Amino acid sequence: MSLANIKDSEVDIVIGALHSDLTSFMNEWRPIFSRFHLIIVKDPDLKEELRIPEGFNIDVYSKSHIDRVVGSSSSIVFSGYSCRYFGFLVSRKKYIVSIDDDCIPAKDSKGFLVDAVAQHLANLATPATPFFFNTLYDPYREGADFVRGYPFSLRSGVTCALSCGLWLNLADLDAPTQALKPAQRNSRYVDAVMTIPSRAMMPISGINIAFDRGAVGPALLPALKLAGEGNLRWETMEDIWSGMCVKVVCDHLGLGVKSGLPYVWRKDRGSAIESLKKEWEGVKLTEEIVPFFQQVRLPQTAATTEDCILEMATTVKQQLGPSDPVFTRAAEAMVEWVKLWKAVGSGSSPL
């Protein structure tokens, strides 16, 4: 397949604002973000006014916008980290890059600033190879290629629909691991990108990702909400659930997912020990969630991402719902999300 030519005008950068003062964050990213359109979604639980420096092309959305589009009775909750999904919903661009507001640009092993947006777009613009693993990783990167024995019939690859970046300093460890190793920080910059094999599950973090909204946008959704969910990344599972959904969709529709570059630098915040009290529910649920997504298969009649999410919602309710009401609520939110996505896309939902 041919390489995509992604224009700046086709990209939205979505930022979920959990902090009121974005001055330092925005100025750190200014060399990278300034040429793109930005969508900032204020956490509806955040009371203070946002402080955003001038010089950016930005649309800001707050609780009033969310209520106008979603309504107060919706089963979908956009609080905390889930506020970013409202940005995914209202975007009109083909590609979305999403970076958390506790991250700043990283530096590579040579000390140069990493353009995370450019690397994400490079990942999406080049094919993925999910059906046969290439031991030189991404064969489309400069200096790499397909190795001996790689079938020529598979070398054209498939569309890459999702790019999952990584983190320096504070890696995305779970609360038990971070509590056990409080001083551990990630300083390893691995200059590599790889396609995740088809049918292999992975924990996708929403901290630093990019995706083809037209291909898989409806699969990036805020569905699984923990009872004691907080506003620290350790205290949520919404992106892990969403990641499982989008990976199943990609596998079913013959799309690819890449992981590796680009890195961002995550700042330290919060207490892993305190967060463990809230995340422990999610740690236990993972032992049910992963086997479910590993075995779930969608019918051939599911030809679009929306179809796939509705099929999964039915299966979630039937197979996981009886074990815990959190799964039933997740299934209901998945159905509601597809309806909302269609309504906003058709223009029938007010903005």
Side-chain angles (χ1 to χ4, degrees), residues 136-194:
L136 279 181
Y137 306 126
D138 190 339
Y140 299 97
R141 292 194 70 207
E142 185 177 352
D145 211 322
F146 292 98
V147 297
R148 182 170 57 90
Y150 202 103
F152 279 86
S153 59
L154 294 176
R155 294 191 183 194
S156 60
V158 302
T159 297
C160 179
L162 177 64
S163 169
C164 305
L166 299 174
W167 334 269
L168 291 175
N169 190 41
L170 192 66
D172 196 25
L173 306 178
D174 54 35
T177 304
Q178 194 70 66
L180 187 64
K181 302 177 179 179
Q184 180 162 309
R185 297 295 181 269
N186 183 36
S187 60
R188 296 176 64 245
Y189 185 94
V190 180
D191 188 9
V193 179
M194 65 181 70

Side-chain angles (χ1 to χ4, degrees), residues 58-259:
I58 299 176
D59 283 323
V60 178
Y61 295 91
S62 61
K63 186 177 184 299
S64 62
H65 299 96
I66 294 172
D67 290 343
R68 194 179 311 148
V69 173
V70 182
S72 58
S73 62
S74 173
S75 60
I76 300 171
V77 179
F78 287 104
S79 63
Y81 282 101
S82 292
C83 68
R84 71 157 71 89
Y85 297 94
F86 188 78
F88 302 170
L89 180 70
V90 299
S91 171
R92 289 295 178 266
K93 303 296 179 69
K94 180 172 174 53
Y95 299 98
I96 286 179
V97 178
S98 181
I99 295 177
D100 279 1
D101 67 352
D102 59 354
C103 299
I104 60 175
K107 292 184 178 180
D108 64 19
S109 54
K110 297 179 181 178
F112 294 109
L113 193 73
V114 174
D115 187 337
V117 176
Q119 181 62 57
H120 272 308
L121 298 183
N123 292 345
L124 294 173
T126 53
T129 53
F131 304 120
F132 200 83
F133 189 78
N134 189 52
T135 50
L136 279 181
Y137 306 126
D138 190 339
Y140 299 97
R141 292 194 70 207
E142 185 177 352
D145 211 322
F146 292 98
V147 297
R148 182 170 57 90
Y150 202 103
F152 279 86
S153 59
L154 294 176
R155 294 191 183 194
S156 60
V158 302
T159 297
C160 179
L162 177 64
S163 169
C164 305
L166 299 174
W167 334 269
L168 291 175
N169 190 41
L170 192 66
D172 196 25
L173 306 178
D174 54 35
T177 304
Q178 194 70 66
L180 187 64
K181 302 177 179 179
Q184 180 162 309
R185 297 295 181 269
N186 183 36
S187 60
R188 296 176 64 245
Y189 185 94
V190 180
D191 188 9
V193 179
M194 65 181 70
T195 296
I196 306 302
S198 180
R199 304 300 180 192
M201 290 292 104
M202 63 181 289
I204 294 174
S205 167
I207 292 168
N208 169 27
I209 63 170
F211 59 94
D212 183 332
R213 185 182 182 277
V216 295
L220 278 297
L221 72 174
L224 188 73
K225 191 80 171 176
L226 301 178
E229 187 164 300
N231 279 352
L232 295 175
R233 175 48 66 201
W234 289 311
E235 301 167 358
T236 67
M237 284 284 291
E238 110 290 323
D239 56 343
I240 302 299
W241 179 272
S242 174
M244 299 281 185
C245 290
V246 74
K247 185 58 168 65
V248 169
V249 170
C250 285
D251 290 345
H252 177 74
L253 297 180
L255 302 170
V257 176
K258 293 182 183 179
S259 180

Side-chain angles (χ1 to χ4, degrees), residues 34-64:
S34 58
R35 70 181 195 270
F36 296 99
H37 177 252
L38 279 65
I39 291 177
I40 295 180
V41 184
K42 180 183 177 183
D43 177 4
D45 295 333
L46 187 64
K47 304 304 181 185
E48 299 88 355
E49 291 297 316
L50 294 182
R51 294 194 290 279
I52 303 170
E54 296 181 352
F56 296 92
N57 178 17
I58 299 176
D59 283 323
V60 178
Y61 295 91
S62 61
K63 186 177 184 299
S64 62

